[in-house]
Amino acid sequence: NGSWQGFRSVIHRFPDDRLSVIVLGNSTSAPVEKIGRQVARMLLPALVRQPIADTAPRVTARARDILMHLARGVHPPGLSPAAQARLTPQDMAWMAQSMQRFGALGELQPLERTDKGDMRVHQYRARFANDDAALTFSLDGADRIENIALYLE
């Protein structure tokens, strides 16, 4: 994406589908990335990941708890020592500030569950009042949170 003196832009390219989406914004606050993704999904519906059945409601409840803690800027319970060290107070404050614009958390949709070695990786779509975000977190063999990633869809 590009941002310069009051303007923002983004280019999403899908060469296999012969599609490029270009969004130009006349403001540094223009949500060009979000608009670009939405246009691409309208033109290429296969980009929209479909939810899977919620066969692990306990893990889904934990995902909701993780999001609620992140929104308050505090560590969720059950972090591994390594994850605690990676999520600094500055990171947590930034996360809480960023999540304020999302609005209230609504539905959580499970997207994928995979095993990678001794890690169980869970991916969800979090539907907030003002935006959708993707949450990915991994649990180690002791059921501790090893990694957390949250990004706008």
Side-chain angles (χ1 to χ4, degrees):
N1 72 20
S3 179
W4 189 74
Q5 294 188 0
F7 303 94
R8 293 189 69 204
S9 64
V10 68
I11 299 174
H12 294 293
R13 295 188 66 231
F14 305 91
D16 293 344
D17 296 304
R18 300 176 48 97
L19 175 68
S20 292
V21 176
I22 301 168
V23 181
L24 306 173
N26 197 19
S27 167
T28 55
S29 63
V32 294
E33 292 89 357
K34 179 180 178 180
I35 293 168
R37 286 189 303 270
Q38 288 175 337
V39 169
R41 288 181 182 142
M42 288 184 339
L43 298 171
L44 299 174
L47 293 175
V48 179
R49 294 176 61 188
Q50 297 303 311
I52 61 173
D54 191 357
T55 58
R58 191 180 116 261
V59 176
T60 300
R62 191 164 186 187
R64 183 174 293 278
D65 189 59
I66 289 170
L67 289 168
M68 297 311 226
H69 279 79
L70 293 177
R72 291 194 321 264
V74 297
H75 284 153
L79 287 177
S80 72
Q84 286 181 22
R86 280 192 305 274
L87 292 171
T88 67
Q90 294 84 3
D91 293 332
M92 298 305 297
W94 177 84
M95 181 71 68
Q97 181 180 6
S98 298
M99 289 180 72
Q100 285 179 359
R101 70 174 186 269
F102 293 1
L105 176 60
E107 182 183 14
L108 273 180
Q109 299 175 333
L111 298 175
E112 187 175 356
R113 293 187 179 90
T114 55
D115 291 328
K116 292 186 180 178
D118 64 342
M119 296 288 189
R120 294 179 322 262
V121 181
H122 302 273
Q123 296 180 350
Y124 287 85
R125 176 178 296 121
R127 296 209 175 259
F128 292 90
N130 302 325
D131 228 327
D132 291 345
L135 169 68
T136 302
F137 65 97
S138 58
L139 301 173
D140 65 16
D143 213 33
R144 294 178 300 196
I145 302 166
E146 190 61 39
N147 293 299
I148 300 173
L150 181 67
Y151 54 92
L152 290 176
E153 278 206 313

